Amino acid sequence: MPAVTVSDITVLPRITTPDPAVAHERAVRSVTSAPSGYEGEGFPVRRAFAGVELRDLDPFIHMDQMGEVEYAPGEPKGTPWHPHRGFETVTYMLDGIMEHQDSNGGGGVISNGDTQWMTAGSGLLHIETPPEHLVTSGGLFHGIQLWVNLPKALKWAPPRYQDIRGGDSALLSTADGGSLIRVIAGSVDGHDGPGSTHSPITLVHATVSPGAEMVLPWQPEYNALVYVLAGQGTVGADRRPIRKGQLAVFGPGDTVRTAAGPTQPQAEPNLEVLVLGGRPIREPVAMAGPFVMNTRAEVIQAFEDFQAGKLGSIPAVHGAPTELRSTD
């Protein structure tokens, strides 16, 4: 799980250790396990938010851990062309390569710590696939796709695309150097990530060394979630056990605690976590398939607009729009 690494963590800026006398540590409300499934043309995923109520996730809607899987030659798969409206998709690659293209002209290639941030807004079509050479050769594939809701006032915002290089993330460490913290979006202890978001959020990927503990200052008006990508450890002051494929939901407060177990699985030398949170939108959510709106009527309208070709068209090089209609 390379993502972005550093040769000398001691040279990085260090986050301030919260003063326990004044900090309000967040308690763990729940720990849930992500069930496995398949997405797109058949790549394996863990449904990270399954079983968690939307009010605890707000402003997030959905998150898949894609892989980790070692593909044989000819096996890598992606998604077909499909529509979105009303939210943002965030694709973060840890291992492997993913290509993106959308009907608004956005597109790029991401690998090892890069992020593609697509604001669907008023609507568009997009596709995510491994490049042809990776399909031919096979290889390791591991990533995350996160859906971030948009408030009613921004659901009709123009689509946009951000290509965020892994090296642009703010790289930090804890005071003892036991954790490498990559800030992709939002801010941690005054250090800003490169992602520009419509809904105020913070997104962090942290690597916690065996036996180390990470206490992050966290916006008190944000919710707080920790998802384990690899390894095992504990969360919260009461040290609730947590392992790969599990999500912790925290209650109110201004710090989030995560600790790595002193021993880790042989193939996973560190505890790897996503720490994410945002300011809740607190608006009605109506969602079906690729659309996240405020009312059922708006979702129906989105399907009708898609069928009428109002969400864009597939570039000719990728084939005729009839290919897309078969995915409904």
Side-chain angles (χ1 to χ4, degrees), residues 24-30 224 235-238 240 248-253 255:
H24 181 197
E25 185 165 340
R26 291 175 180 250
V28 178
R29 283 181 174 171
S30 66
V235 284
D238 57 352
R240 290 275 297 273
V249 177
F250 290 78
T255 64

Side-chain angles (χ1 to χ4, degrees), residues 17 21 63 68 72 77 80 83 87 91 108 126 132 151 192 196 203 232 238 273 312 326:
T17 302
M63 189 168 78
E68 181 175 7
K77 299 175 177 67
F87 64 104
T91 305
H126 86 137
E132 185 175 348
D192 298 333
S196 174
L203 175 61
Q232 59 192 15
D238 57 352
V273 295
S326 67

